[in-house]
Amino acid sequence: MTGKVEDTLMLLAAGEFSLGILGNAFIGLVNCVDWIKNRKITSIDLILTSLAISRISLLCIILLDCLILVLYPDIYAVGKQMRIIDYFWTLTNHLMVWFATCLSIFYFLKIANFFHPLFLWMKWRIDGAIPKILLGCLALSVFISLPFTKNLGDDFRRCVKAKVKMNLTLRCRVNKTQYASIKIGLNLLTLLPFSVSLISFLLLILSLWRHTRRMQLNATGYRDPSIEAHVRATRAVTSFLLLFIAYYLAYLVATSSYFMAETELAVIVGELIALICPSVHSVILILENKKLRKASLRVLWKVKSSCCHLLPYEKQLAQPHGPS
């Protein structure tokens, strides 16, 4: 790649990384401060905080991998260091997806209106089960990540960066089937929580449709709080599903560059697209959550007030002073 292309891609990566870090750090900070003040944390705040932490970790791993690929490409020929990055990328990737799935399930159970005994039992037990579910997601992600990382040999990372410079074609072909099976299995496992989120989304849409129809039959206004809660939850889950599809495709590009000729550019472009999901979805969650939205408006108001106070002072300093 040329220097201008590298600079442009790194600038985009830095911008997406900054947006994601600010958004997710804001979510975690607001919920932690509220936790300290009230000495307790709600289930939704616990899920959002866990999701924010996993996304901050994922963003750092993706940016680190992108920086190493551009600035220190020789490290890609060393299996040990890159195997560690592979492991943490896989771990944080699964954590993000499973925590987001927990958020979708929580929205569905708390907002949807069904009268099936199993649904009512889950709705009643979900608050107490959230900490155990999150710990289970962490344990499952660690369990999933370890075997795949151990099977990733040094040859993969050499092929990513050095197969143009060295004659590694034969070695790459030998490991091609093994690497492909590992990546297919890894991505298929990621589709499991996505399917759960999709089912929760469809059931939430069904609940919204039934509730809206009931309100129409009863001649009730559309400003019903339940409908507004349905709509907000639906928007949050929809945005996650759409962004996850883009992230999933980008993850495939970034991790399947083993089969491409222009691997370096493919990896960086894939990672740039992958950065969008944890960055943009955090902003959407802030806008859809009442407490986070109010906290963000207070922060913006304070920043605006500070700028307004500093502006007259700066103008006064800029005015020329006459002779004393």
Side-chain angles (χ1 to χ4, degrees):
M1 290 188 297
T2 62
K4 291 183 178 179
V5 174
E6 287 185 359
D7 293 341
T8 302
L9 293 177
M10 292 307 299
L11 184 62
L12 289 174
E16 294 177 5
F17 174 79
S18 300
L19 176 64
I21 290 294
L22 288 175
N24 288 289
F26 179 80
I27 293 174
L29 182 62
V30 170
N31 289 331
C32 287
V33 170
D34 191 62
W35 187 1
I36 294 173
K37 286 183 178 179
N38 299 326
R39 297 186 178 181
K40 64 179 181 179
I41 185 169
T42 62
S43 298
I44 183 65
D45 289 345
L46 183 58
I47 297 174
L48 290 174
T49 304
S50 302
L51 180 60
I53 294 173
S54 67
R55 284 177 167 172
I56 290 173
S57 303
L58 177 64
L59 287 167
C60 292
I61 292 296
I62 295 177
L63 186 65
L64 177 62
D65 192 73
C66 194
L67 288 173
I68 290 175
L69 182 61
V70 174
L71 302 178
Y72 306 102
D74 293 335
I75 298 181
Y76 263 73
V78 182
K80 184 177 180 181
Q81 288 84 348
M82 299 315 302
R83 188 179 297 182
I84 295 174
I85 292 181
D86 282 331
Y87 169 71
F88 281 106
W89 191 347
T90 305
L91 174 62
T92 54
N93 174 57
H94 278 273
L95 276 177
M96 180 195 73
V97 176
W98 279 107
F99 287 162
T101 301
C102 291
L103 182 64
S104 302
I105 295 173
F106 185 83
Y107 279 146
F108 163 66
L109 292 177
K110 283 296 184 181
I111 297 175
N113 294 317
F114 293 102
F115 299 100
H116 192 277
L118 178 60
F119 174 81
L120 295 176
W121 180 81
M122 294 174 62
K123 188 183 186 73
W124 177 64
R125 296 290 299 273
I126 186 63
D127 284 315
I130 284 297
K132 298 178 182 178
I133 293 175
L134 295 178
L135 288 176
C137 292
L138 176 60
L140 180 62
S141 299
V142 173
F143 177 76
I144 291 173
S145 305
L146 273 176
F148 284 106
T149 304
K150 288 180 179 179
N151 289 330
L152 286 176
D154 297 352
D155 290 337
F156 161 62
R157 282 300 183 176
R158 287 199 184 98
C159 290
V160 170
K161 180 60 188 176
K163 68 180 181 180
V164 179
K165 299 179 181 179
M166 303 179 187
N167 187 18
L168 296 175
T169 306
L170 179 60
R171 200 183 306 173
C172 289
R173 288 176 181 176
V174 170
N175 293 330
K176 185 174 182 179
T177 304
Q178 180 184 4
Y179 172 70
S181 62
I182 291 172
K183 287 303 175 184
I184 290 173
L186 179 63
N187 288 291
L188 287 178
L189 285 175
T190 311
L191 288 177
L192 176 61
F194 173 78
S195 302
V196 175
S197 295
L198 182 60
I199 293 172
S200 300
F201 167 74
L202 295 176
L203 291 174
L204 195 61
I205 291 293
L206 176 61
S207 175
L208 174 61
W209 176 77
R210 292 174 59 181
H211 187 75
T212 304
R213 187 179 180 184
R214 192 181 305 116
M215 293 299 102
Q216 289 176 341
L217 293 176
N218 296 333
T220 306
Y222 286 95
R223 299 298 296 177
D224 183 71
S226 180
I227 291 182
E228 293 183 4
H230 273 81
V231 172
R232 286 197 301 268
T234 303
R235 283 200 298 257
V237 178
T238 303
S239 62
F240 164 69
L241 293 175
L242 295 177
L243 289 170
F244 177 80
I245 292 173
Y247 173 82
Y248 184 77
L249 295 176
Y251 183 79
L252 281 176
V253 171
T255 57
S256 301
S257 58
Y258 183 81
F259 307 104
M260 302 178 184
E262 299 294 333
T263 49
E264 185 176 332
L265 182 60
V267 170
I268 295 178
V269 171
E271 291 178 349
L272 285 176
I273 300 175
L275 283 169
I276 295 176
C277 178
S279 300
V280 175
H281 192 239
S282 63
V283 177
I284 296 174
L285 290 178
I286 292 173
L287 296 177
E288 296 298 335
N289 186 278
K290 186 177 181 180
K291 182 180 72 174
L292 295 175
R293 185 172 64 251
K294 288 184 177 180
S296 63
L297 291 176
R298 287 197 301 268
V299 171
L300 291 175
W301 177 256
K302 290 181 180 180
V303 171
K304 183 179 179 180
S305 301
S306 300
C307 292
C308 292
H309 286 305
L310 288 175
L311 188 59
Y313 179 71
E314 290 178 355
K315 289 182 178 180
Q316 184 179 359
L317 291 178
Q319 291 178 356
H321 296 279
S324 57

PDB file of all heavy atoms in Angstrom, residues 140-158:
ATOM      1  N   LEU A 140     -18.407 -19.466  28.608  1.00  0.00           N
ATOM      2  CA  LEU A 140     -18.608 -20.074  27.289  1.00  0.00           C
ATOM      3  C   LEU A 140     -17.667 -19.468  26.250  1.00  0.00           C
ATOM      4  O   LEU A 140     -17.109 -20.195  25.413  1.00  0.00           O
ATOM      5  CB  LEU A 140     -20.060 -19.888  26.859  1.00  0.00           C
ATOM      6  CG  LEU A 140     -20.452 -20.471  25.498  1.00  0.00           C
ATOM      7  CD1 LEU A 140     -20.268 -21.982  25.501  1.00  0.00           C
ATOM      8  CD2 LEU A 140     -21.891 -20.107  25.151  1.00  0.00           C
ATOM      9  N   SER A 141     -17.471 -18.165  26.299  1.00  0.00           N
ATOM     10  CA  SER A 141     -16.580 -17.502  25.349  1.00  0.00           C
ATOM     11  C   SER A 141     -15.134 -17.961  25.527  1.00  0.00           C
ATOM     12  O   SER A 141     -14.411 -18.182  24.552  1.00  0.00           O
ATOM     13  CB  SER A 141     -16.681 -15.982  25.506  1.00  0.00           C
ATOM     14  OG  SER A 141     -17.993 -15.529  25.258  1.00  0.00           O
ATOM     15  N   VAL A 142     -14.705 -18.102  26.783  1.00  0.00           N
ATOM     16  CA  VAL A 142     -13.353 -18.598  27.050  1.00  0.00           C
ATOM     17  C   VAL A 142     -13.212 -20.030  26.546  1.00  0.00           C
ATOM     18  O   VAL A 142     -12.201 -20.397  25.922  1.00  0.00           O
ATOM     19  CB  VAL A 142     -13.037 -18.521  28.554  1.00  0.00           C
ATOM     20  CG1 VAL A 142     -11.704 -19.198  28.862  1.00  0.00           C
ATOM     21  CG2 VAL A 142     -12.999 -17.065  29.011  1.00  0.00           C
ATOM     22  N   PHE A 143     -14.228 -20.841  26.790  1.00  0.00           N
ATOM     23  CA  PHE A 143     -14.184 -22.239  26.365  1.00  0.00           C
ATOM     24  C   PHE A 143     -14.127 -22.355  24.840  1.00  0.00           C
ATOM     25  O   PHE A 143     -13.403 -23.186  24.285  1.00  0.00           O
ATOM     26  CB  PHE A 143     -15.421 -22.966  26.902  1.00  0.00           C
ATOM     27  CG  PHE A 143     -15.522 -24.396  26.458  1.00  0.00           C
ATOM     28  CD1 PHE A 143     -14.732 -25.375  27.035  1.00  0.00           C
ATOM     29  CD2 PHE A 143     -16.422 -24.746  25.454  1.00  0.00           C
ATOM     30  CE1 PHE A 143     -14.822 -26.698  26.616  1.00  0.00           C
ATOM     31  CE2 PHE A 143     -16.521 -26.067  25.036  1.00  0.00           C
ATOM     32  CZ  PHE A 143     -15.721 -27.035  25.622  1.00  0.00           C
ATOM     33  N   ILE A 144     -14.902 -21.498  24.152  1.00  0.00           N
ATOM     34  CA  ILE A 144     -14.915 -21.527  22.689  1.00  0.00           C
ATOM     35  C   ILE A 144     -13.591 -21.040  22.113  1.00  0.00           C
ATOM     36  O   ILE A 144     -13.081 -21.592  21.130  1.00  0.00           O
ATOM     37  CB  ILE A 144     -16.078 -20.670  22.147  1.00  0.00           C
ATOM     38  CG1 ILE A 144     -17.419 -21.334  22.467  1.00  0.00           C
ATOM     39  CG2 ILE A 144     -15.957 -20.453  20.646  1.00  0.00           C
ATOM     40  CD1 ILE A 144     -18.623 -20.486  22.125  1.00  0.00           C
ATOM     41  N   SER A 145     -13.006 -20.029  22.730  1.00  0.00           N
ATOM     42  CA  SER A 145     -11.817 -19.387  22.163  1.00  0.00           C
ATOM     43  C   SER A 145     -10.564 -20.237  22.278  1.00  0.00           C
ATOM     44  O   SER A 145      -9.734 -20.250  21.364  1.00  0.00           O
ATOM     45  CB  SER A 145     -11.589 -18.032  22.850  1.00  0.00           C
ATOM     46  OG  SER A 145     -12.731 -17.219  22.756  1.00  0.00           O
ATOM     47  N   LEU A 146     -10.401 -20.932  23.387  1.00  0.00           N
ATOM     48  CA  LEU A 146      -9.153 -21.671  23.624  1.00  0.00           C
ATOM     49  C   LEU A 146      -8.842 -22.723  22.560  1.00  0.00           C
ATOM     50  O   LEU A 146      -7.733 -22.729  22.019  1.00  0.00           O
ATOM     51  CB  LEU A 146      -9.196 -22.314  25.012  1.00  0.00           C
ATOM     52  CG  LEU A 146      -8.714 -21.430  26.171  1.00  0.00           C
ATOM     53  CD1 LEU A 146      -8.914 -22.155  27.493  1.00  0.00           C
ATOM     54  CD2 LEU A 146      -7.253 -21.050  25.991  1.00  0.00           C
ATOM     55  N   PRO A 147      -9.753 -23.611  22.224  1.00  0.00           N
ATOM     56  CA  PRO A 147      -9.407 -24.633  21.230  1.00  0.00           C
ATOM     57  C   PRO A 147      -9.040 -24.057  19.870  1.00  0.00           C
ATOM     58  O   PRO A 147      -8.094 -24.523  19.230  1.00  0.00           O
ATOM     59  CB  PRO A 147     -10.681 -25.491  21.142  1.00  0.00           C
ATOM     60  CG  PRO A 147     -11.394 -25.239  22.415  1.00  0.00           C
ATOM     61  CD  PRO A 147     -11.092 -23.826  22.764  1.00  0.00           C
ATOM     62  N   PHE A 148      -9.782 -23.032  19.428  1.00  0.00           N
ATOM     63  CA  PHE A 148      -9.487 -22.451  18.129  1.00  0.00           C
ATOM     64  C   PHE A 148      -8.124 -21.784  18.117  1.00  0.00           C
ATOM     65  O   PHE A 148      -7.392 -21.854  17.134  1.00  0.00           O
ATOM     66  CB  PHE A 148     -10.572 -21.427  17.754  1.00  0.00           C
ATOM     67  CG  PHE A 148     -11.849 -22.067  17.314  1.00  0.00           C
ATOM     68  CD1 PHE A 148     -12.951 -22.066  18.136  1.00  0.00           C
ATOM     69  CD2 PHE A 148     -11.946 -22.678  16.087  1.00  0.00           C
ATOM     70  CE1 PHE A 148     -14.140 -22.662  17.740  1.00  0.00           C
ATOM     71  CE2 PHE A 148     -13.124 -23.281  15.675  1.00  0.00           C
ATOM     72  CZ  PHE A 148     -14.227 -23.276  16.501  1.00  0.00           C
ATOM     73  N   THR A 149      -7.758 -21.122  19.203  1.00  0.00           N
ATOM     74  CA  THR A 149      -6.476 -20.447  19.259  1.00  0.00           C
ATOM     75  C   THR A 149      -5.331 -21.445  19.275  1.00  0.00           C
ATOM     76  O   THR A 149      -4.300 -21.232  18.642  1.00  0.00           O
ATOM     77  CB  THR A 149      -6.410 -19.558  20.513  1.00  0.00           C
ATOM     78  OG1 THR A 149      -7.511 -18.664  20.490  1.00  0.00           O
ATOM     79  CG2 THR A 149      -5.130 -18.758  20.537  1.00  0.00           C
ATOM     80  N   LYS A 150      -5.495 -22.542  19.960  1.00  0.00           N
ATOM     81  CA  LYS A 150      -4.436 -23.550  20.010  1.00  0.00           C
ATOM     82  C   LYS A 150      -4.205 -24.178  18.644  1.00  0.00           C
ATOM     83  O   LYS A 150      -3.108 -24.584  18.310  1.00  0.00           O
ATOM     84  CB  LYS A 150      -4.799 -24.638  21.017  1.00  0.00           C
ATOM     85  CG  LYS A 150      -4.712 -24.176  22.462  1.00  0.00           C
ATOM     86  CD  LYS A 150      -5.075 -25.294  23.421  1.00  0.00           C
ATOM     87  CE  LYS A 150      -4.973 -24.838  24.863  1.00  0.00           C
ATOM     88  NZ  LYS A 150      -5.351 -25.909  25.818  1.00  0.00           N
ATOM     89  N   ASN A 151      -5.249 -24.252  17.831  1.00  0.00           N
ATOM     90  CA  ASN A 151      -5.119 -24.880  16.528  1.00  0.00           C
ATOM     91  C   ASN A 151      -4.588 -23.947  15.456  1.00  0.00           C
ATOM     92  O   ASN A 151      -4.296 -24.383  14.347  1.00  0.00           O
ATOM     93  CB  ASN A 151      -6.480 -25.427  16.069  1.00  0.00           C
ATOM     94  CG  ASN A 151      -6.897 -26.628  16.884  1.00  0.00           C
ATOM     95  OD1 ASN A 151      -6.049 -27.377  17.361  1.00  0.00           O
ATOM     96  ND2 ASN A 151      -8.192 -26.810  17.060  1.00  0.00           N
ATOM     97  N   LEU A 152      -4.509 -22.659  15.773  1.00  0.00           N
ATOM     98  CA  LEU A 152      -3.987 -21.712  14.793  1.00  0.00           C
ATOM     99  C   LEU A 152      -2.470 -21.762  14.805  1.00  0.00           C
ATOM    100  O   LEU A 152      -1.827 -21.253  15.721  1.00  0.00           O
ATOM    101  CB  LEU A 152      -4.476 -20.285  15.095  1.00  0.00           C
ATOM    102  CG  LEU A 152      -5.931 -20.010  14.771  1.00  0.00           C
ATOM    103  CD1 LEU A 152      -6.296 -18.604  15.199  1.00  0.00           C
ATOM    104  CD2 LEU A 152      -6.209 -20.185  13.297  1.00  0.00           C
ATOM    105  N   GLY A 153      -1.872 -22.370  13.787  1.00  0.00           N
ATOM    106  CA  GLY A 153      -0.420 -22.512  13.748  1.00  0.00           C
ATOM    107  C   GLY A 153       0.267 -21.258  13.278  1.00  0.00           C
ATOM    108  O   GLY A 153      -0.335 -20.298  12.818  1.00  0.00           O
ATOM    109  N   ASP A 154       1.588 -21.297  13.348  1.00  0.00           N
ATOM    110  CA  ASP A 154       2.385 -20.153  12.924  1.00  0.00           C
ATOM    111  C   ASP A 154       2.259 -19.890  11.434  1.00  0.00           C
ATOM    112  O   ASP A 154       2.437 -18.766  10.987  1.00  0.00           O
ATOM    113  CB  ASP A 154       3.858 -20.390  13.270  1.00  0.00           C
ATOM    114  CG  ASP A 154       4.076 -20.508  14.770  1.00  0.00           C
ATOM    115  OD1 ASP A 154       3.134 -20.259  15.530  1.00  0.00           O
ATOM    116  OD2 ASP A 154       5.186 -20.858  15.151  1.00  0.00           O
ATOM    117  N   ASP A 155       1.977 -20.920  10.649  1.00  0.00           N
ATOM    118  CA  ASP A 155       1.962 -20.764   9.202  1.00  0.00           C
ATOM    119  C   ASP A 155       0.894 -19.773   8.751  1.00  0.00           C
ATOM    120  O   ASP A 155       1.071 -19.074   7.760  1.00  0.00           O
ATOM    121  CB  ASP A 155       1.711 -22.108   8.530  1.00  0.00           C
ATOM    122  CG  ASP A 155       2.905 -23.037   8.685  1.00  0.00           C
ATOM    123  OD1 ASP A 155       4.015 -22.532   8.898  1.00  0.00           O
ATOM    124  OD2 ASP A 155       2.689 -24.252   8.613  1.00  0.00           O
ATOM    125  N   PHE A 156      -0.236 -19.706   9.472  1.00  0.00           N
ATOM    126  CA  PHE A 156      -1.297 -18.789   9.067  1.00  0.00           C
ATOM    127  C   PHE A 156      -0.817 -17.349   9.084  1.00  0.00           C
ATOM    128  O   PHE A 156      -0.975 -16.603   8.133  1.00  0.00           O
ATOM    129  CB  PHE A 156      -2.504 -18.953   9.992  1.00  0.00           C
ATOM    130  CG  PHE A 156      -3.436 -17.783   9.955  1.00  0.00           C
ATOM    131  CD1 PHE A 156      -4.071 -17.429   8.792  1.00  0.00           C
ATOM    132  CD2 PHE A 156      -3.654 -17.019  11.098  1.00  0.00           C
ATOM    133  CE1 PHE A 156      -4.924 -16.344   8.752  1.00  0.00           C
ATOM    134  CE2 PHE A 156      -4.503 -15.942  11.066  1.00  0.00           C
ATOM    135  CZ  PHE A 156      -5.136 -15.611   9.895  1.00  0.00           C
ATOM    136  N   ARG A 157      -0.203 -16.929  10.165  1.00  0.00           N
ATOM    137  CA  ARG A 157       0.229 -15.550  10.260  1.00  0.00           C
ATOM    138  C   ARG A 157       1.384 -15.244   9.310  1.00  0.00           C
ATOM    139  O   ARG A 157       1.522 -14.140   8.832  1.00  0.00           O
ATOM    140  CB  ARG A 157       0.651 -15.231  11.697  1.00  0.00           C
ATOM    141  CG  ARG A 157      -0.548 -15.007  12.627  1.00  0.00           C
ATOM    142  CD  ARG A 157      -1.399 -13.866  12.148  1.00  0.00           C
ATOM    143  NE  ARG A 157      -2.493 -13.584  13.046  1.00  0.00           N
ATOM    144  CZ  ARG A 157      -3.336 -12.581  12.898  1.00  0.00           C
ATOM    145  NH1 ARG A 157      -3.242 -11.780  11.883  1.00  0.00           N
ATOM    146  NH2 ARG A 157      -4.311 -12.398  13.763  1.00  0.00           N
ATOM    147  N   ARG A 158       2.214 -16.233   9.017  1.00  0.00           N
ATOM    148  CA  ARG A 158       3.252 -16.009   8.019  1.00  0.00           C
ATOM    149  C   ARG A 158       2.633 -15.799   6.645  1.00  0.00           C
ATOM    150  O   ARG A 158       3.063 -14.952   5.873  1.00  0.00           O
ATOM    151  CB  ARG A 158       4.207 -17.215   7.972  1.00  0.00           C
ATOM    152  CG  ARG A 158       5.130 -17.319   9.168  1.00  0.00           C
ATOM    153  CD  ARG A 158       6.301 -18.221   8.834  1.00  0.00           C
ATOM    154  NE  ARG A 158       7.140 -18.406  10.009  1.00  0.00           N
ATOM    155  CZ  ARG A 158       7.094 -19.447  10.813  1.00  0.00           C
ATOM    156  NH1 ARG A 158       6.201 -20.396  10.589  1.00  0.00           N
ATOM    157  NH2 ARG A 158       7.893 -19.549  11.847  1.00  0.00           N
TER     158      ARG A 158
END
